[in-house]
Amino acid sequence: MPRITVTVDGIVYEEEVEPRLLLVHLLRDRLGKTGTPVGCDTGNCGACTVMLDGRSAKSCSVLAVQADGSDVVTIEGLARNGRLHPMQEAFHAEHALQCGYCTPGMIMAAVDLLKDDPDPSDEAIRRGLEGNLCRCTGYCNIVRAVRRGAQEMSGEGVRTS
Amino acid sequence: MTEQIDAGMVARRIAESDRLGSPDPGREIGRARRRKEDARLITGRTLWTDDIQLPGMLYVAFLRSPMAHARITRVDTSAARNQPGVAAVYTGRDFAAEQGSLPCAWPVTEDIVIPDHPPMAVEEVRYVGEAVACVVATDRYKAADALEAIEVDYEPLEPVLDMTEALAEGSPKVHEAGNRSFTWKFSGGDVEAAFRDAPVVIERTYVQQRLIPTAMEPRAVVATTDGTAFTLYSSTQIPHVLRVMLALTTGIPEHLLRVVAPDVGGGFGSKLQVTAEEVLCLLLTRRLGKPVKWTESRSEGNLTVHHGRDQLQRITLAAERDGRIRGMRADLLADMGAYLMLVTPGIPILGAFMYNGIYKMDAYDFTCTGVFTTKMPTDAYRGAGRPEATFAIERAVDELAHELGMDPVEVRRRNWITHQEFPYTTIAGLTYDSGNYEAATDRALALFGYDKLRAEQADRRDRRDPVQLGIGVSTYTEMCGLAPSRVLGSLSYGAGGWEHATVRLLPTGKVEVVTGTSPHGQGHETAWSQIAADAMGVPFEDVAVLHGDTTVAPKGMDTYGSRSLVIGGVAVLQACEKVKDRARKLAAHMLEASPDDIEFSGGTFSVRGTSAGKTIQELALAAFAAHDLPEGFEPRLDADVTFDPQNFSFPHGTHLCAVEVDTETGMTKIRSYVAVDDVGNVVNPLIVEGQVHGGIAQGIGQALFEEAVYDSEGNLLTTTMTDYLIPSAADLPEFVTDRTETPATSNALGVKGVGEAGTIAATPAVVNAVVDALRPYGVRDVRMPCSPERIWRAISESGGAAAGWAGPTEAEGGER
Ligand code: FES
Ligand code: FES
């Protein structure tokens, strides 16, 4: 069995894995990182989105062996030094979640979206999150949250609050 | 375009002010509290059922029928049994003696046919996806591998796919007893008279397509036993109902069975069920003595989570030339699928009292026939019966308006119950306690910019713009808050509709609320905290809400049918009042006053006219210490309440939708959407707004995107999220929402349900808009989902696109 080294939320793991093992199952079943859920089996829903070497990736569509040598950040590793990430705060403030099942992936995708477009229009947010499905919120508050998160991250929110 | 922007800004301002705080400072109820639930949900510290890992746990995978209808002639599990990591392989025969039949709790008629429903098929399969065998192995991958080594031989039988054909003489049968499950009838007033010589009669057939609820969390079950008692964790909406039903089905005594709904990722009715997998996992843990886990894949779920809707509606409306509705007939075929599950037959019946909508009429007649087909059973899906009814009446009223050349809003005005007429007993026998349809509609029209949009529509029609504008309205009400137990009894439902709450004042003055509701996204931990904080005069932060585990919250009827706040929330309030009654006696004793002289305000009991008082926290400690209590006073400040409502709850509202339809490509774009809902008093405006948003999205999903499609052999074609399209952020516009508040008179909080309202209202609003856009082409209906292809075909088939312009009717032009 291939041996891989992968860093997840700041911890280095060395694991022997079957070549077919999906990254999301490595995270959930082997490493106990159950903060990242699974919503589909066709790469459509985005619930499993994590950061893989700094960019968002659907962890159900990546094999664990492909993540060898990579740095993975999940929703569990997004808060730093006991402080929530501004995007987590924004989702809470804007009531951008109900059941919360899509939320880990949605937050990771939103953080990634801002890397390319730090001040996205509502339309850009909607397009950018097309690969992350939510059945509860109707997306209005998610769009608001991403807008707020973007403001906070650009420092605007810090000035006005 | 300006009016949309204005409307958007207005709504945002309203929302902002809601977000800034309570209209009544110092009160929790009405305040836009951020949710307590969020802390764990935004950090990944949730416990979904699939997250549960127990020592020695084994994984279950099911082999499912690839045939819609067949006899099982041979199952060979020997090769699978010998695969690495496999602990056991079982077929239906192995469970036959103990698996019982999955329950149907709603025998709607005396002569209803309820076929035996084995959790695992033994002799015959009746839909694609029905379980025929299972593997239990040491991990998910090995379980899936071993499934492939099981051999099953089938002798194909005829599938039964079309409801009308299923009822025809000589149709192949799904079950021995035939394809008709029941026919349920209801009527009020003299329908014959209403239709006799009616100047206008509108007759239409609408298809409620089959839907897949698609909660984002797939179902999962974990079952375990210590040899005596059993625990079942399930992604369910109904831990309490499930416990009773599983005890009855499996014979495991109820007192030795604990059911837990951990964090649950959405339900929308799909997790209001007693599933084959829940029963089988219990039987497996009993047999193997090990914990077992089963988690479905999405494709497995699309096949085997119960589906929603699937009705054929024949609607007839009789009216006067001035638009006044005389009477209505609704004649339904409802596809049950292959079996009757928990409330399958009751779903269309829940709509029976709603076809008259918000309108006054002299007579009404309803017939529904439940039909078996070789498809996945149908059951509750957000709205359950009421979206179908609302769709039918709201579409038919639009057709009436068109027929008469009247504005669709005006026709509604001429027929609806005015606000002075409440309480109003409808032709369907329900008493609507309160409402103000005028206020909600006026507000919605203003936010929407109705007149300007109508003017733009006229202009586009005049210009024969290939992109036409359509305007759809839906003025809905619904009966929710399921339900008064005596009403459920009269409808032959198997249980009551009460809800339970316990409130405990802890020694340090903190409050525990135990609720029988079972939230899966609705925010009960937050909203119930607000109710209890106000009632007990304690800080919001000092309240904890416990739920979803039959050991922690032993009594309840769970969450569905927009019932939680109007029944469960009221139970919480009443339990708080009972605790306060006890606290008042204790305070009177400690303050040496008569209980009648004790006032309560801001968490302190004081003697009227004096400054002497005791805080609720002081009383909590005094009761705990129990050193000095009134004669005969038990040392506790807690109370239980089981609340059974007297009536349903009747939220209402007006939704308006503007769509742009490209008549050359059939593409539809929702340009603006306005919803003004009246859900009575509001405990938390953020949560209400969220429910409305999500509801609208699902209603739009039915109107434009979603359909479970079976092919001519009974294979489900929409097994993945690539084929079954739920709306993404890019498919939906910003919704403009506002509220009017007409308090319910039927409960102490003055609240009405909100969970299903958006879904009920949105579907007809959108389809009315699509059809309105296409009226000049002679189109009078587009089957849902109104996909580009369907729209394009509707235009072609009506001859409009080829033959030219039917043109707006004279009066339609004249109304604006
Ligand atoms: S679980 Fe990865 S995209 Fe759905
Ligand atoms: S919050 Fe439930 S799926 Fe998004």
Side-chain angles (χ1 to χ4, degrees), chain A residues 96-103 106 133-137 142, chain B residues 215-217 265-266 268 520-521:
Chain A
L97 59 147
Q98 289 177 32
C99 79
Y101 200 77
C102 70
T103 308
M106 201 65 86
L133 298 174
C134 173
R135 192 57 154 167
C136 297
T137 63
I142 290 177
Chain B
M216 285 308 299
E217 183 206 10
F268 316 111
H520 37 283

PDB file of all heavy atoms in Angstrom, chain A residues 96-103 106 133-137 142, chain B residues 215-217 265-266 268 520-521, ligand 2:
ATOM      1  N   ALA A  96     -26.364  32.729   7.494  1.00  0.00           N
ATOM      2  CA  ALA A  96     -26.157  32.123   6.181  1.00  0.00           C
ATOM      3  C   ALA A  96     -26.153  30.599   6.241  1.00  0.00           C
ATOM      4  O   ALA A  96     -25.651  29.949   5.339  1.00  0.00           O
ATOM      5  CB  ALA A  96     -24.843  32.639   5.598  1.00  0.00           C
ATOM      6  N   LEU A  97     -26.692  30.057   7.331  1.00  0.00           N
ATOM      7  CA  LEU A  97     -26.768  28.606   7.424  1.00  0.00           C
ATOM      8  C   LEU A  97     -28.009  28.214   8.205  1.00  0.00           C
ATOM      9  O   LEU A  97     -28.456  28.953   9.082  1.00  0.00           O
ATOM     10  CB  LEU A  97     -25.531  28.025   8.116  1.00  0.00           C
ATOM     11  CG  LEU A  97     -25.216  28.490   9.530  1.00  0.00           C
ATOM     12  CD1 LEU A  97     -24.572  27.378  10.333  1.00  0.00           C
ATOM     13  CD2 LEU A  97     -24.317  29.704   9.489  1.00  0.00           C
ATOM     14  N   GLN A  98     -28.562  27.082   7.855  1.00  0.00           N
ATOM     15  CA  GLN A  98     -29.679  26.532   8.632  1.00  0.00           C
ATOM     16  C   GLN A  98     -29.261  25.175   9.178  1.00  0.00           C
ATOM     17  O   GLN A  98     -28.799  25.078  10.308  1.00  0.00           O
ATOM     18  CB  GLN A  98     -30.944  26.502   7.786  1.00  0.00           C
ATOM     19  CG  GLN A  98     -31.464  27.934   7.555  1.00  0.00           C
ATOM     20  CD  GLN A  98     -32.686  28.027   6.669  1.00  0.00           C
ATOM     21  OE1 GLN A  98     -33.525  27.134   6.653  1.00  0.00           O
ATOM     22  NE2 GLN A  98     -32.805  29.108   5.918  1.00  0.00           N
ATOM     23  N   CYS A  99     -29.358  24.124   8.363  1.00  0.00           N
ATOM     24  CA  CYS A  99     -28.903  22.836   8.896  1.00  0.00           C
ATOM     25  C   CYS A  99     -27.392  22.805   9.028  1.00  0.00           C
ATOM     26  O   CYS A  99     -26.852  22.050   9.820  1.00  0.00           O
ATOM     27  CB  CYS A  99     -29.391  21.682   8.030  1.00  0.00           C
ATOM     28  SG  CYS A  99     -28.447  21.413   6.517  1.00  0.00           S
ATOM     29  N   GLY A 100     -26.702  23.597   8.219  1.00  0.00           N
ATOM     30  CA  GLY A 100     -25.252  23.693   8.336  1.00  0.00           C
ATOM     31  C   GLY A 100     -24.473  22.611   7.617  1.00  0.00           C
ATOM     32  O   GLY A 100     -23.245  22.573   7.716  1.00  0.00           O
ATOM     33  N   TYR A 101     -25.162  21.761   6.885  1.00  0.00           N
ATOM     34  CA  TYR A 101     -24.430  20.649   6.257  1.00  0.00           C
ATOM     35  C   TYR A 101     -23.548  21.129   5.104  1.00  0.00           C
ATOM     36  O   TYR A 101     -22.454  20.630   4.895  1.00  0.00           O
ATOM     37  CB  TYR A 101     -25.411  19.582   5.750  1.00  0.00           C
ATOM     38  CG  TYR A 101     -24.759  18.237   5.550  1.00  0.00           C
ATOM     39  CD1 TYR A 101     -24.471  17.410   6.636  1.00  0.00           C
ATOM     40  CD2 TYR A 101     -24.397  17.790   4.275  1.00  0.00           C
ATOM     41  CE1 TYR A 101     -23.862  16.182   6.466  1.00  0.00           C
ATOM     42  CE2 TYR A 101     -23.782  16.552   4.099  1.00  0.00           C
ATOM     43  CZ  TYR A 101     -23.520  15.750   5.197  1.00  0.00           C
ATOM     44  OH  TYR A 101     -22.908  14.527   5.030  1.00  0.00           O
ATOM     45  N   CYS A 102     -24.043  22.135   4.376  1.00  0.00           N
ATOM     46  CA  CYS A 102     -23.255  22.670   3.268  1.00  0.00           C
ATOM     47  C   CYS A 102     -22.203  23.646   3.751  1.00  0.00           C
ATOM     48  O   CYS A 102     -21.343  24.060   2.984  1.00  0.00           O
ATOM     49  CB  CYS A 102     -24.171  23.379   2.276  1.00  0.00           C
ATOM     50  SG  CYS A 102     -24.850  24.929   2.944  1.00  0.00           S
ATOM     51  N   THR A 103     -22.323  24.070   5.013  1.00  0.00           N
ATOM     52  CA  THR A 103     -21.582  25.235   5.488  1.00  0.00           C
ATOM     53  C   THR A 103     -20.051  25.086   5.451  1.00  0.00           C
ATOM     54  O   THR A 103     -19.371  26.007   4.990  1.00  0.00           O
ATOM     55  CB  THR A 103     -22.064  25.601   6.909  1.00  0.00           C
ATOM     56  OG1 THR A 103     -23.495  25.712   6.868  1.00  0.00           O
ATOM     57  CG2 THR A 103     -21.472  26.902   7.381  1.00  0.00           C
ATOM     58  N   MET A 106     -19.087  25.479   1.936  1.00  0.00           N
ATOM     59  CA  MET A 106     -19.458  26.801   1.441  1.00  0.00           C
ATOM     60  C   MET A 106     -18.458  27.848   1.948  1.00  0.00           C
ATOM     61  O   MET A 106     -18.030  28.727   1.195  1.00  0.00           O
ATOM     62  CB  MET A 106     -20.874  27.112   1.938  1.00  0.00           C
ATOM     63  CG  MET A 106     -21.634  28.146   1.184  1.00  0.00           C
ATOM     64  SD  MET A 106     -22.028  27.709  -0.532  1.00  0.00           S
ATOM     65  CE  MET A 106     -23.558  26.792  -0.380  1.00  0.00           C
ATOM     66  N   LEU A 133     -23.773  23.466  -3.313  1.00  0.00           N
ATOM     67  CA  LEU A 133     -25.232  23.493  -3.233  1.00  0.00           C
ATOM     68  C   LEU A 133     -25.696  23.585  -1.784  1.00  0.00           C
ATOM     69  O   LEU A 133     -25.121  22.964  -0.889  1.00  0.00           O
ATOM     70  CB  LEU A 133     -25.813  22.232  -3.876  1.00  0.00           C
ATOM     71  CG  LEU A 133     -25.488  22.095  -5.376  1.00  0.00           C
ATOM     72  CD1 LEU A 133     -25.969  20.747  -5.890  1.00  0.00           C
ATOM     73  CD2 LEU A 133     -26.117  23.237  -6.170  1.00  0.00           C
ATOM     74  N   CYS A 134     -26.740  24.376  -1.593  1.00  0.00           N
ATOM     75  CA  CYS A 134     -27.378  24.483  -0.288  1.00  0.00           C
ATOM     76  C   CYS A 134     -28.866  24.273  -0.512  1.00  0.00           C
ATOM     77  O   CYS A 134     -29.454  24.877  -1.401  1.00  0.00           O
ATOM     78  CB  CYS A 134     -27.129  25.868   0.309  1.00  0.00           C
ATOM     79  SG  CYS A 134     -28.071  26.130   1.830  1.00  0.00           S
ATOM     80  N   ARG A 135     -29.485  23.427   0.292  1.00  0.00           N
ATOM     81  CA  ARG A 135     -30.904  23.165   0.109  1.00  0.00           C
ATOM     82  C   ARG A 135     -31.746  23.992   1.078  1.00  0.00           C
ATOM     83  O   ARG A 135     -32.957  24.014   0.965  1.00  0.00           O
ATOM     84  CB  ARG A 135     -31.167  21.673   0.321  1.00  0.00           C
ATOM     85  CG  ARG A 135     -32.536  21.165  -0.108  1.00  0.00           C
ATOM     86  CD  ARG A 135     -32.874  21.419  -1.563  1.00  0.00           C
ATOM     87  NE  ARG A 135     -33.842  20.461  -2.085  1.00  0.00           N
ATOM     88  CZ  ARG A 135     -34.479  20.626  -3.236  1.00  0.00           C
ATOM     89  NH1 ARG A 135     -34.260  21.698  -3.987  1.00  0.00           N
ATOM     90  NH2 ARG A 135     -35.326  19.702  -3.659  1.00  0.00           N
ATOM     91  N   CYS A 136     -31.100  24.640   2.053  1.00  0.00           N
ATOM     92  CA  CYS A 136     -31.879  25.294   3.112  1.00  0.00           C
ATOM     93  C   CYS A 136     -32.075  26.791   2.923  1.00  0.00           C
ATOM     94  O   CYS A 136     -33.135  27.307   3.248  1.00  0.00           O
ATOM     95  CB  CYS A 136     -31.199  25.103   4.460  1.00  0.00           C
ATOM     96  SG  CYS A 136     -31.057  23.408   5.020  1.00  0.00           S
ATOM     97  N   THR A 137     -31.050  27.502   2.495  1.00  0.00           N
ATOM     98  CA  THR A 137     -31.055  28.961   2.685  1.00  0.00           C
ATOM     99  C   THR A 137     -31.563  29.760   1.506  1.00  0.00           C
ATOM    100  O   THR A 137     -31.819  30.966   1.654  1.00  0.00           O
ATOM    101  CB  THR A 137     -29.627  29.478   2.956  1.00  0.00           C
ATOM    102  OG1 THR A 137     -28.823  29.204   1.789  1.00  0.00           O
ATOM    103  CG2 THR A 137     -29.020  28.804   4.167  1.00  0.00           C
ATOM    104  N   ILE A 142     -26.267  33.686   2.168  1.00  0.00           N
ATOM    105  CA  ILE A 142     -24.886  33.262   1.873  1.00  0.00           C
ATOM    106  C   ILE A 142     -24.197  34.359   1.073  1.00  0.00           C
ATOM    107  O   ILE A 142     -23.050  34.729   1.350  1.00  0.00           O
ATOM    108  CB  ILE A 142     -24.888  31.908   1.127  1.00  0.00           C
ATOM    109  CG1 ILE A 142     -25.337  30.800   2.084  1.00  0.00           C
ATOM    110  CG2 ILE A 142     -23.499  31.608   0.546  1.00  0.00           C
ATOM    111  CD1 ILE A 142     -25.455  29.417   1.465  1.00  0.00           C
TER     112      ILE A 142
ATOM    113  N   ALA B 215     -32.385  16.533   0.846  1.00  0.00           N
ATOM    114  CA  ALA B 215     -31.691  17.150   1.980  1.00  0.00           C
ATOM    115  C   ALA B 215     -30.199  16.983   1.729  1.00  0.00           C
ATOM    116  O   ALA B 215     -29.774  15.975   1.174  1.00  0.00           O
ATOM    117  CB  ALA B 215     -32.092  16.451   3.274  1.00  0.00           C
ATOM    118  N   MET B 216     -29.403  17.970   2.129  1.00  0.00           N
ATOM    119  CA  MET B 216     -27.982  17.879   1.772  1.00  0.00           C
ATOM    120  C   MET B 216     -27.260  16.754   2.518  1.00  0.00           C
ATOM    121  O   MET B 216     -26.299  16.203   2.029  1.00  0.00           O
ATOM    122  CB  MET B 216     -27.272  19.213   2.024  1.00  0.00           C
ATOM    123  CG  MET B 216     -27.589  20.265   0.982  1.00  0.00           C
ATOM    124  SD  MET B 216     -27.348  19.717  -0.735  1.00  0.00           S
ATOM    125  CE  MET B 216     -25.615  19.361  -0.691  1.00  0.00           C
ATOM    126  N   GLU B 217     -27.725  16.450   3.713  1.00  0.00           N
ATOM    127  CA  GLU B 217     -27.111  15.306   4.393  1.00  0.00           C
ATOM    128  C   GLU B 217     -27.792  14.023   3.932  1.00  0.00           C
ATOM    129  O   GLU B 217     -28.990  13.838   4.176  1.00  0.00           O
ATOM    130  CB  GLU B 217     -27.275  15.410   5.924  1.00  0.00           C
ATOM    131  CG  GLU B 217     -26.576  14.280   6.645  1.00  0.00           C
ATOM    132  CD  GLU B 217     -27.169  13.944   8.018  1.00  0.00           C
ATOM    133  OE1 GLU B 217     -28.244  14.454   8.362  1.00  0.00           O
ATOM    134  OE2 GLU B 217     -26.551  13.155   8.741  1.00  0.00           O
ATOM    135  N   GLY B 265     -28.849  17.078   8.871  1.00  0.00           N
ATOM    136  CA  GLY B 265     -28.594  18.037   7.796  1.00  0.00           C
ATOM    137  C   GLY B 265     -29.756  18.221   6.848  1.00  0.00           C
ATOM    138  O   GLY B 265     -29.688  17.890   5.676  1.00  0.00           O
ATOM    139  N   GLY B 266     -30.850  18.743   7.379  1.00  0.00           N
ATOM    140  CA  GLY B 266     -32.017  19.020   6.547  1.00  0.00           C
ATOM    141  C   GLY B 266     -32.899  17.799   6.418  1.00  0.00           C
ATOM    142  O   GLY B 266     -32.461  16.660   6.587  1.00  0.00           O
ATOM    143  N   PHE B 268     -36.907  18.310   5.172  1.00  0.00           N
ATOM    144  CA  PHE B 268     -37.944  18.720   4.206  1.00  0.00           C
ATOM    145  C   PHE B 268     -38.987  17.627   4.013  1.00  0.00           C
ATOM    146  O   PHE B 268     -39.573  17.496   2.946  1.00  0.00           O
ATOM    147  CB  PHE B 268     -37.293  19.108   2.866  1.00  0.00           C
ATOM    148  CG  PHE B 268     -36.070  19.963   3.030  1.00  0.00           C
ATOM    149  CD1 PHE B 268     -34.814  19.479   2.721  1.00  0.00           C
ATOM    150  CD2 PHE B 268     -36.190  21.244   3.558  1.00  0.00           C
ATOM    151  CE1 PHE B 268     -33.686  20.258   2.933  1.00  0.00           C
ATOM    152  CE2 PHE B 268     -35.065  22.031   3.760  1.00  0.00           C
ATOM    153  CZ  PHE B 268     -33.816  21.535   3.446  1.00  0.00           C
ATOM    154  N   HIS B 520     -33.761  20.316  12.598  1.00  0.00           N
ATOM    155  CA  HIS B 520     -32.693  19.888  11.691  1.00  0.00           C
ATOM    156  C   HIS B 520     -32.378  21.051  10.756  1.00  0.00           C
ATOM    157  O   HIS B 520     -32.352  20.895   9.555  1.00  0.00           O
ATOM    158  CB  HIS B 520     -33.107  18.632  10.945  1.00  0.00           C
ATOM    159  CG  HIS B 520     -34.562  18.612  10.566  1.00  0.00           C
ATOM    160  ND1 HIS B 520     -35.572  18.343  11.465  1.00  0.00           N
ATOM    161  CD2 HIS B 520     -35.173  18.878   9.403  1.00  0.00           C
ATOM    162  CE1 HIS B 520     -36.739  18.433  10.847  1.00  0.00           C
ATOM    163  NE2 HIS B 520     -36.531  18.760   9.611  1.00  0.00           N
ATOM    164  N   GLY B 521     -32.191  22.210  11.392  1.00  0.00           N
ATOM    165  CA  GLY B 521     -31.874  23.415  10.630  1.00  0.00           C
ATOM    166  C   GLY B 521     -32.746  24.598  10.988  1.00  0.00           C
ATOM    167  O   GLY B 521     -32.490  25.725  10.581  1.00  0.00           O
TER     168      GLY B 521
HETATM  169  S1  FES C   2     -27.677  25.116   5.411  1.00  0.00           S
HETATM  170 FE1  FES C   2     -28.625  23.209   5.021  1.00  0.00          FE
HETATM  171  S2  FES C   2     -27.794  22.715   3.107  1.00  0.00           S
HETATM  172 FE2  FES C   2     -27.030  24.702   3.395  1.00  0.00          FE
END
